[in-house]
Amino acid sequence: MANEEKKTPLLDQLEEGRWPSFVKEIKKAAAKNKKAEALLGQLELSYREKKVHWKHGGIVGVKGYGGGVIGRYSDVPEQFPDAAEFHTIRVNQPAGWFYTTEALRKLCDIWEKYGSGLTNFHGSTGDAILLGTDTDKLQACFDELAEAGFDLGGSGSDLRTPSCCVGPARCEFACFDTLDVCHEITMEFQNELHRPMWPYKFKIKIAGCPNDCVASIARADLSVIGTWRDEIRVNQEEVKAYAEAGFDIQGMVVDKCPKKAVKYNAETREIVIDNESCTRCMHCINEMPRALRVGKEGGATLLIGAKAPIVKSAFMSWVIIPFMEMKPPYTELKDFIRTITDWWDENGKTRERIGETIYRLGMPKFLRDTGIKPVPQMVTAPRANPYYFWYPEEVK
Amino acid sequence: MARTDFGPPHYSTLIPDIIKENYGKWLYHEQIRPGVLKHVSETGAELYTVRVGSPRLASIDFIREICEIADKYSKGHLRFTSRHNIEFLLDDKEMVEPLLEELARRGLPVGGTGHSVSNIVHTQGWVHCHSAATDASGLVKSLMDGLYDYFVENKLPNMVRIAVACCLNMCGAVHCSDIAIVGIHRKPPRIDHEKLHKVCEIPSVIQSCPTGAIKPNPKLKSVEVNPDKCMYCGNCYTVCPAMPIADPENDGVAIFVGGKVSNARTAPKFSRLAIPYLPNNPPRWTETVEAVKHLLEVYAENALPGERYGEWIERIGWERFFKLTGLPFTEKHIDDFIFAPTTFRTTTQFNW
């Protein structure tokens, strides 16, 4: 490469500023690695031309797996031969994204040997992303990853790597053990995770409470969101402490309760919650975590169907199972996942997410086929039209 | 052949002792200062979390650097958040200040908790994707430089979650964010008739179009796109590389506002269109950064304490949102896709 081509005046401007710079990161890697150096050059070209310079896909992988590696080829390989192949390896992250420095250093050492030295911690779906290697290095890289205890994540039309919030590891809001559910589901569906066999991708995200810190309701074909069946636990001594500290309980908590289910007696400085009206939105608990706690009878609401706009608009997940207990070995959840993915596999068209299949064929048909009982929690309101089906066994 | 299907390392081998001992026993938490959380357990144990912004696209040098920090201050343990932040988990309060000093020396920002702008969830962009309509890393770096004070301080009515997706495929949770920035195309795909029949399956291409804009062209063994029906989603390009849609002159970004995923107070919401188009202007995307800053400032000035972006708009009404922000309301803001009627106003209740 000519010296002139090595200059990156546009990207250099992104080394400035107070936020950590990804350009500095690419340059650190480029100082030691030709692939990273080529990436820097190609990215500068993209910045100059306002155009992407990666080709469309390409099938590469490691033995035994159908997913986990994304093929990436440069469309200007003659200019940047070291970036001609720049494949991504998706490494299945540990539940809750916890690491020891020992584990992270192992990943770094392997990636230094086989790849560009560039990573994403983490990708959008949750995997640790190793960015940029050659086809002939994939197998050896995976072999060493496997030896170090790291498996690949999902890609293509398979179960994408499940992810979860920090859960009971560090959050008092967790209504069940999100990390354990995430790990158990990941282990149970290893075949579906590693071998694309479905109409399209399928994402599972597991959030410990209705705050949904993993955005499961927006992003997951199956959203598992913590909730409880009994009552919010109130510590009246701590309520008094909030009041004494000058916290505006009436304004910030009572007035903002969507169901007007919280009453505050300013004289006695006590809170009363009408748990029958409460819809467990988390607001009062978020505001007064020292005084209010989620109920003891925790479990999860299962929602189905979220996806981004491609193709027929974005969907948010909707309620399908209002409450499921989350107790090991999570047989009910595993069976449920099998039931819905089998139905989708039978009925879905290519590149159709499960939410879209249900939308196309109708929720009543989905419920009928899967044997899931209709309940009012599934809808915000019953239909307003008279256009429903009767089946032969229902009429004379 | 290497072993397969063994799954990720078990989390129990990676969590620090203080978490092992207090797993599921956490009682409450508080924010000591922006970026520092204290969790208190039923056992009386205290865990201090220091949250640090990362560039997400990190070299192994960076990962080793944070390992060095974790070895020194958090007994060799750390975690990442769903928004690409790094969290150091300390069981010793005395170590918090020295850690903060070290992070400041190394130029790593501490924040992203409480009523702040947390790190921006984003996609690959020009760095590593074939379908990107804009870069993601450069846009996010420019935005976070511009919004830095909102990350390290708590000066907003509530948390603001920003996300960037470099095309409509949206591999991030963009469509339910307080502020969502999406790379868009504005012209139909070009068709490489020579190549199409060799690399694409024509029925799949036709089926891929959500508006039925693609029809077969048997003469050329190819397809045609009806430009009046195409709304540039790029789904055909995803299934057929012979229909490139990237266009340096016309690609850019759109900004949507008011979405959220949390169920707190109000139900989760989609983000709605605020700005239909801003040009791609690398390396600093000045127009986009200014627009997002403006959207944040108007919200910060007008929302009530505790109101999320979308809750504020719901209270004042979209008509007043457009007035307060000074953004033009155009025909592009009125939905004409399949769920459009759900967004039409079917009441005489509105503001002037």
Side-chain angles (χ1 to χ4, degrees), chain B residues 25 37-38 54 68 85 122 156 159 169-170 201 205 233 237 246 249 270 275 304 310 313-314:
Chain B
K25 294 182 191 160
L37 302 173
K38 171 182 162 185
S54 103
E68 209 177 291
N85 298 298
H122 68 98
L156 291 163
M159 62 174 78
N169 279 315
M170 284 193 193
E201 200 192 343
V205 178
C233 72
Y237 174 61
E249 288 310 305
F270 286 126
I275 301 175
L304 297 174
I313 297 174
E314 227 160 60

Side-chain angles (χ1 to χ4, degrees), chain B residues 36 81 103 223 284 294:
Chain B
V36 184
T81 71
L103 292 166
V223 297
R284 280 283 174 186
H294 175 63

Side-chain angles (χ1 to χ4, degrees), chain B residues 50-298:
Chain B
V50 176
R51 187 176 291 174
V52 174
S54 103
R56 189 183 92 130
L57 171 49
S59 67
I60 50 177
D61 296 37
F62 179 85
I63 303 298
R64 285 169 176 156
E65 186 183 348
I66 60 169
C67 284
E68 209 177 291
I69 301 170
D71 281 344
K72 205 159 149 193
Y73 297 94
S74 55
K75 299 183 174 166
H77 290 272
L78 73 160
R79 75 175 288 265
F80 295 84
T81 71
S82 57
R83 306 194 79 82
H84 319 311
N85 298 298
I86 301 155
E87 288 184 340
F88 297 101
L89 307 155
L90 288 68
D91 58 9
D92 181 359
K93 190 183 178 181
E94 298 306 312
M95 295 298 263
V96 174
E97 274 310 314
L99 170 59
L100 293 175
E101 281 162 25
E102 169 128 22
L103 292 166
R105 268 201 310 279
R106 292 176 185 258
L108 289 168
V110 173
T113 59
H115 293 182
S116 69
V117 169
S118 190
N119 205 348
I120 298 177
V121 166
H122 68 98
T123 55
Q124 296 290 18
W126 293 336
V127 171
H128 207 248
C129 187
H130 66 285
S131 69
T134 185
D135 188 34
S137 300
L139 186 48
V140 165
K141 159 72 175 150
S142 304
L143 282 163
M144 287 311 286
D145 278 341
L147 306 177
Y148 188 88
D149 292 341
Y150 290 111
F151 179 83
V152 298
E153 292 171 45
N154 274 193
K155 52 181 188 178
L156 291 163
N158 201 335
M159 62 174 78
V160 172
R161 296 294 185 241
I162 305 180
V164 167
C166 52
C167 82
L168 269 60
N169 279 315
M170 284 193 193
C171 32
V174 163
H175 55 289
C176 295
S177 305
D178 295 282
I179 300 179
I181 299 149
V182 186
I184 57 162
H185 306 289
R186 296 192 299 157
K187 283 177 82 179
R190 302 171 297 281
I191 304 172
D192 185 343
H193 293 299
E194 287 293 299
K195 194 171 135 193
L196 193 135
H197 69 276
K198 290 180 209 147
V199 293
C200 309
E201 200 192 343
I202 288 172
S204 306
V205 178
I206 292 166
Q207 199 207 311
S208 75
C209 180
T211 63
I214 303 175
K215 62 175 186 186
N217 180 336
K219 222 175 180 181
L220 294 173
K221 284 191 198 157
S222 183
V223 297
E224 295 298 337
V225 175
N226 178 349
D228 295 336
K229 281 189 176 174
C230 173
M231 42 71 178
Y232 337 110
C233 72
N235 198 43
C236 55
Y237 174 61
T238 300
V239 302
C240 175
M243 299 183 74
I245 191 167
D247 176 349
E249 288 310 305
N250 291 293
D251 290 349
V253 302
I255 303 180
F256 294 70
V257 298
K260 73 187 193 68
V261 293
S262 163
N263 286 274
R265 296 173 303 282
T266 51
K269 302 178 211 309
F270 286 126
S271 315
R272 306 277 171 181
L273 183 64
I275 301 175
Y277 174 77
L278 290 168
N280 260 338
N281 192 3
R284 280 283 174 186
W285 280 269
T286 318
E287 297 87 345
T288 307
V289 175
E290 287 312 312
V292 171
K293 265 178 146 169
H294 175 63
L295 285 165
L296 266 181
E297 281 159 11
V298 179

